[in-house]
Amino acid sequence: MKVLMFGWEFPPHISGGLGTACYGLVKGLVHHNQDIIFVVPKLWGDEEPLADFVNASDIEIDYREKKFIDTWKNLTYLEINSFLVPYLGPQEFEKYTDYTLHHRSDVDETVFSNKYEFSGKYGKNLMEEVSRYALVATQIAKMKDHDIIHAHDWLAYPAGIAAKQISGKPLVAHIHATQFDRAGQGGAQGPVFEMEKAGLLAADHVVAVSHLTRNIVIEKYGVDPDKVSVLHNAVLDASIIHSTIRKNVPEKIVTFLGRITFQKGPEYFVEAAKKVIDRDPNVRFVMAGSGDLLNRMVERVAELGMGTRFHFTGFLKGQDVDDMYAISDVYVMPSVSEPFGIAPLEAVRHNTPVIISKQSGVAEVLRNAIKIDFWDVDAMADAIFGLLHYESIARMFKELGSEELKNLKWEHVAAKLVTVYEKLHKQQP
């Protein structure tokens, strides 16, 4: 099967879990002898050669052709500068969603060139790049022979729709996170929501990363339940990592590692930290990451008088992330709404017991973890205190968690996806 896949990022150049998931899925599909044509806005040259990579920045198109004009008319284009990202929080959303919708029947050649250089980042012209990416997709769909189209998240949905219109091939829309996750149940509106909805409704099949996400897709976007299936994420390597790094403090360390935004529930982590420190001051809490709530969290920690026991590292990547997991005695993910959440699986790989919210997709597959409601800071504090002070409990979760990882492989996920591809292919006239 030849799969034309549209994504926005691919390792090692990633901003979050989306790129990591794309990498794992592609690797799994290659394991099952699928031919992948992976399109990204910009190639950097150091991507692992797992697929036939297509650099959208290298594709030349004639904007005077009718197919491009027709595609452009149906695109939502933001004229203002914006810093929308696939993991947008509510405050950034409210700040940057004042937009203008253009219905154009012509193309101004003073604005467009035959070859567009994408930044490959989530910068100020992201929405413009999303629209241009869809235009390029029409040309790629015409150039590249394929059987299935697979688009990852809202950034790639317009491209997937455009490719389907040109080639007529089935479209699989992979939803890794929804605007309801990012902005809360009452804040899903505007261009990102509209792009998500258009992609999900246009798709021949929708792949959700959890039952939690599947329910949102059906209930909030009106998608036919019969065309939505669940494929949980996995880990690239199920082996336990035995790190040689040693922490330079005698206290136990409890870590929050992720974007410091509404979706991730950092405020609940801070409140739980206060309750733990009141019971045992010989504990250090770490909040690793960046986001729109960072300053508020720093202020709240100061208000609670925890400055000497609470640390902010800023955004971590690469080896620093691995080292942070390795020196942590407990990892906490108190997400308000988490479509999946790969981070707890990575923590388990480092032999770190985890506490996760019941409102996360990973809670559906990770059985050997303590699960709490994100808002229940008393339960969170009790769980943290218990793992820190009862070694037998912590050891049990370490042993059971490491054994559980063996079943969470991308090859297994890819095998299920191949059956989806084959079913759609057989339904083709």
Side-chain angles (χ1 to χ4, degrees):
M1 196 82 69
K2 290 185 178 180
V3 183
L4 178 58
M5 190 172 288
F6 293 95
W8 202 261
E9 59 181 31
F10 199 87
H13 303 279
I14 61 175
S15 294
L18 178 60
T20 302
C22 286
Y23 175 79
L25 190 62
V26 168
K27 199 166 186 178
L29 288 169
V30 170
H31 177 79
H32 290 286
N33 301 313
Q34 303 297 296
D35 294 325
I36 311 299
I37 305 163
F38 198 97
V39 185
V40 287
K42 183 174 182 177
L43 282 178
W44 302 90
D46 53 356
E47 293 83 2
E48 187 176 339
L50 293 171
D52 174 12
F53 283 102
V54 177
N55 184 356
S57 297
D58 285 342
I59 302 299
E60 291 189 6
I61 61 178
D62 186 346
Y63 289 97
R64 295 166 297 187
E65 284 190 34
K66 186 177 185 300
K67 64 180 179 181
F68 299 119
I69 295 174
D70 289 344
T71 300
W72 184 252
K73 283 195 302 183
N74 296 321
L75 293 175
T76 299
Y77 169 69
L78 289 190
E79 268 197 336
I80 64 163
N81 289 339
S82 63
F83 289 90
L84 296 171
V85 298
Y87 319 102
L88 186 66
Q91 290 189 350
E92 295 107 320
F93 181 85
E94 292 173 3
K95 186 176 181 181
Y96 294 115
T97 50
D98 186 17
Y99 69 101
T100 302
L101 181 65
H102 290 251
H103 293 287
R104 299 183 53 152
S105 59
D106 66 323
V107 176
D108 184 349
E109 291 186 81
T110 64
V111 175
F112 299 111
S113 61
N114 287 340
K115 186 188 291 185
Y116 180 77
E117 180 69 26
F118 292 89
S119 69
K121 297 185 181 297
Y122 304 103
K124 63 181 180 179
N125 297 318
L126 178 61
M127 292 304 240
E128 177 184 345
E129 292 200 1
V130 168
S131 297
R132 291 183 188 263
Y133 188 50
L135 288 181
V136 172
T138 62
Q139 181 68 11
I140 295 172
K142 185 178 179 181
M143 291 168 45
K144 295 284 187 177
D145 182 40
H146 58 282
D147 302 301
I148 296 287
I149 302 164
H150 190 139
H152 292 277
D153 265 3
W154 67 269
L155 292 153
Y157 287 172
I161 294 171
K164 178 182 176 179
Q165 290 171 343
I166 291 296
S167 71
K169 300 298 182 180
L171 170 62
V172 175
H174 205 136
I175 184 80
H176 297 263
T178 72
Q179 192 61 7
F180 287 92
D181 298 305
R182 291 181 287 266
Q185 295 298 307
Q189 56 185 325
V192 176
F193 170 77
E194 294 301 330
M195 285 188 194
E196 283 180 343
K197 186 173 183 178
L200 294 171
L201 293 178
D204 298 277
H205 192 86
V206 176
V207 173
V209 295
S210 64
H211 291 285
L212 178 73
T213 302
R214 181 179 185 271
N215 292 338
I216 293 175
V217 166
I218 294 169
E219 296 171 8
K220 303 295 186 181
Y221 294 84
V223 179
D224 182 357
D226 291 338
K227 76 170 191 179
V228 188
S229 62
V230 174
L231 287 181
H232 292 107
N233 287 334
V235 289
L236 292 170
D237 186 347
S239 62
I240 296 299
I241 297 173
H242 299 284
S243 176
T244 58
I245 190 171
R246 295 290 180 268
K247 59 184 179 183
N248 295 318
V249 294
E251 298 90 355
K252 296 290 182 71
I253 295 177
V254 181
T255 298
F256 169 107
L257 195 154
R259 286 173 294 114
I260 306 177
T261 62
F262 161 82
Q263 180 189 350
K264 300 296 184 179
E267 58 267 52
Y268 302 103
F269 179 75
V270 170
E271 299 303 322
K274 173 60 175 174
K275 291 179 178 293
V276 173
I277 290 174
D278 284 346
R279 296 168 68 180
D280 181 2
N282 294 314
V283 180
R284 291 180 183 267
F285 286 80
V286 175
M287 183 166 283
S290 60
D292 61 293
L293 294 185
L294 175 58
N295 290 341
R296 189 186 304 179
M297 295 304 99
V298 172
E299 292 170 358
R300 183 57 179 156
V301 166
E303 288 174 0
L304 294 172
M306 299 189 296
T308 61
R309 285 291 178 267
F310 204 108
H311 309 274
F312 295 89
T313 69
F315 179 75
L316 300 180
K317 61 181 180 179
Q319 188 61 46
D320 289 338
V321 173
D322 289 335
D323 291 346
M324 193 68 249
Y325 285 133
I327 65 173
S328 299
D329 295 282
V330 177
Y331 172 79
V332 183
M333 189 184 77
S335 297
V336 174
S337 181
E338 186 72 52
F340 188 78
I342 293 178
L345 301 182
E346 293 300 323
V348 171
R349 287 194 65 211
H350 287 82
N351 246 339
T352 302
V354 301
I355 300 169
I356 56 180
S357 72
K358 296 177 182 177
Q359 292 74 25
S360 63
V362 72
E364 297 172 11
V365 297
L366 192 58
R367 296 178 179 84
N368 294 296
I370 296 179
K371 302 169 188 178
I372 47 92
D373 289 304
F374 70 86
W375 45 262
D376 194 342
V377 294
D378 288 319
M380 192 185 308
D382 288 342
I384 293 170
F385 188 87
L387 288 173
L388 293 179
H389 291 83
Y390 299 98
E391 180 57 34
S392 59
I393 297 177
R395 185 169 58 251
M396 177 189 72
F397 279 109
K398 289 178 183 180
E399 293 173 354
L400 294 176
S402 61
E403 192 65 27
E404 194 169 17
L405 284 182
K406 296 176 183 178
N407 297 319
L408 301 175
K409 297 181 179 180
W410 279 110
E411 292 92 326
H412 300 160
V413 177
K416 295 177 182 178
L417 182 57
V418 170
T419 63
V420 172
Y421 289 164
E422 291 174 344
K423 182 177 179 180
L424 291 173
H425 186 60
K426 289 177 181 178
Q427 293 173 350
Q428 284 285 281

